[in-house]
Amino acid sequence: MSMDLDAPVSLPSVHQPQAATILCCNCGAPIDGTASAGALCYDCIKLTVDVSEGIQREGVLHTCRDCERWLSPPSQWVSASLESRELLALCLRKLRGLSKVRIIDANFLWTEPHSRRIKVKITVQQEAYEGTILQQTFEVEYVVAYQQCPDCAKSYTPNTWRASVQVRQKVPHKRTFLYLEQLVLKHGAHKETINIKEVKDGLDFYFAQRNHAEKFVDFLTSVTPVKVKKSQELISMDIHTSTKSYKFTYSCELLPICKDDLVALPIKMAKSIGNITPLALCYRVGTSVNLIDPTTLQTADLPTGTYWRNPFKNLADVQELVEFVVLDIEPLGSQNGRFFLAEATVARAADLGVNDKTYYCRTHLGGVLHAGDSVLGYHLTGTNFNNPQFEELEQSSTYASTIPDVMLVKKFYARKKKPKSRSWKLKRMEKDEGDLLPKKQDQEKMDADYEMFLRDVEEDAELRQTLALYKAKQQKTTTTRDVDMMSMATGESDEDEVPKINMDELLDDFDELHVNDDE
């Protein structure tokens, strides 16, 4: 008997236990009988068991048209952009039954921008049977509905406010309020207001929250000399919890001295702020009043607290300015910043050709005035001032001789009463006139004050630096060449005289819909 040495040798097999298998009761596929759940294979379990059962497939999202915020139940409104994480979290929180499963992934699906539908694709996991975990993906569709939030509802209700700021200034013109309006617009200090109402001698700003009003008051104190008083009124009180609800009112009174005003300081006050001559001009108003003595170029700052401890009225304002003609001017060589000391001989423009009366004075406008120019100033000779501070100066042996006949204030540029168009413009606040509808004469005075303010902006470079000027929307007008030809034909060549604003100082206005044109 022969034996093949290359043939494989069979060794006695070692006993290895085999897993017990059964057949799926649904499809007949062999499965592990010890780990099977209900005698079903994994594919059949996925077909027969729905782990997302009980989870909503549709929902509603509420958004506010005005502020574009979303309602987070029960009463919170949150800001969230489309397809953002915040909006996705809001969508998941609104689904009932989602807390019973484990969220693996969630993302937005593309929908038409104007369909008012938002679709979210969600992947969840849940244990179907012991040892069997199923993963399932489904879609949820949300309908976007519009609902006005309480804050926006309050903005359309005039009597619903929690705090108000009353800004007042008792002066006969609105130049200070026009300047304050531009500062508020530039820094966006009015964004939290729910209403702005125009009242006599000032404006009322209404806020929904007290901290917004306090923030606005802090802004006012940082840009203007103002005195603030606070008051509160009890609206309601819960006797069970001792919870009280108040309305707060902040009264802000602006100092009644404006730019280019003539003031007569009390002698003690003039000595305390730098021993300046009591009769001075106000050349700027910031957080304090900046005064200058035109005869010596001495300047002084009048702090707000010092003024309110001993308040006084101005001696004359811009409505009492008189036009003079410079006959001769001679610089003296002294300079203080942009002011140059000079001696000038002037005559009233109304007296030319009537009499030969001239006045000799010192002025701080030596850098801008030339012989033949027109200048605005206060005519003190023969003028009666019902002012106790000025009477004290006249009776004083020290200061009576220092009162000049004429005090020049600023150069006067001959131009049309109201230009048809400007290459620049200013924004205006939307104010509620309320019951104070202006009469025709009042409207004409307001237009005159606004035109005076615009001319101040053109003439004062320092004033322009604190404001935001925008490029005006040019309409179909005559070209520059046509204007030059018309000026040559009429003999008017005031293009070089009237100050112009460079285009480099102007900003582009991207919000044309909310701008009131100056024209």
Side-chain angles (χ1 to χ4, degrees), residues 293-458:
D293 179 10
T295 60
T296 61
L297 297 187
Q298 182 183 359
T299 58
D301 293 343
L302 178 61
T304 307
T306 304
Y307 173 83
W308 288 116
R309 283 194 294 270
N310 188 12
F312 58 91
K313 294 183 179 180
N314 57 355
L315 194 61
D317 56 29
V318 292
Q319 296 180 344
E320 303 174 32
L321 290 174
V322 179
E323 182 182 354
F324 294 88
V325 177
V326 180
L327 303 178
D328 186 22
I329 187 167
E330 181 180 353
L332 298 181
S334 300
Q335 179 182 359
N336 185 359
R338 60 187 176 94
F339 302 117
F340 292 85
L341 187 63
E343 294 179 345
T345 303
V346 298
R348 288 183 54 181
D351 293 342
L352 293 179
V354 179
N355 55 50
D356 298 332
K357 190 171 183 59
T358 59
Y359 302 94
Y360 174 81
C361 63
R362 285 194 174 190
T363 178
H364 61 296
L365 304 176
V368 295
L369 292 182
H370 303 86
D373 290 345
S374 296
V375 61
L376 297 178
Y378 295 107
H379 192 198
L380 304 182
T381 301
T383 304
N384 293 324
F385 297 102
N386 187 13
N387 187 282
Q389 287 79 26
F390 187 73
E391 294 176 359
E392 185 181 0
L393 292 181
E394 291 180 325
Q395 297 172 2
S396 173
S397 58
T398 305
Y399 298 105
S401 59
T402 62
I403 300 176
D405 297 332
V406 173
M407 186 169 288
L408 304 182
V409 178
K410 60 181 179 178
K411 186 176 180 179
F412 177 71
Y413 297 92
R415 58 181 119 188
K416 299 178 181 178
K417 291 184 178 180
K418 188 174 182 181
K420 292 183 179 181
S421 62
R422 285 184 169 94
S423 61
W424 57 277
K425 62 183 178 181
L426 297 172
K427 288 187 176 182
R428 302 299 303 272
M429 283 192 307
E430 296 182 1
K431 298 185 288 290
D432 181 13
E433 295 179 350
D435 299 333
L436 292 176
L437 293 177
K439 301 179 181 178
K440 183 177 180 180
Q441 59 270 23
D442 296 337
Q443 186 63 42
E444 292 177 354
K445 184 178 182 303
M446 292 169 59
D447 294 341
D449 290 343
Y450 188 60
E451 177 62 26
M452 185 186 302
F453 176 70
L454 294 181
R455 294 185 180 185
D456 289 342
V457 173
E458 288 178 339

Side-chain angles (χ1 to χ4, degrees), residues 502-516:
N502 297 328
M503 296 299 292
D504 299 339
E505 302 180 42
L506 305 181
L507 304 174
D508 292 322
D509 188 8
F510 298 104
D511 196 9
E512 289 284 345
L513 297 178
H514 299 283
V515 174
N516 295 326

Side-chain angles (χ1 to χ4, degrees), residues 191-260:
K191 290 183 178 179
E192 304 295 342
T193 58
I194 60 176
N195 191 19
I196 302 174
K197 190 174 182 180
E198 190 170 2
V199 296
K200 185 180 179 181
D201 295 333
L203 296 171
D204 286 349
F205 297 84
Y206 296 94
F207 300 87
Q209 298 181 19
R210 175 186 177 185
N211 58 343
H212 293 162
E214 292 178 345
K215 182 180 178 181
F216 186 77
V217 171
D218 293 339
F219 170 77
L220 290 180
T221 55
S222 66
V223 296
T224 57
V226 63
K227 179 176 67 173
V228 181
K229 291 183 179 179
K230 174 188 172 183
S231 62
Q232 60 187 24
E233 177 186 0
L234 180 64
I235 302 174
S236 61
M237 181 179 65
D238 188 351
I239 60 175
H240 301 287
T241 60
S242 298
T243 303
K244 300 179 181 179
S245 179
Y246 291 95
K247 274 188 176 181
F248 300 90
T249 302
Y250 298 87
S251 176
C252 301
E253 184 178 355
L254 298 179
L255 193 143
I257 296 178
C258 304
K259 181 176 177 291
D260 298 332

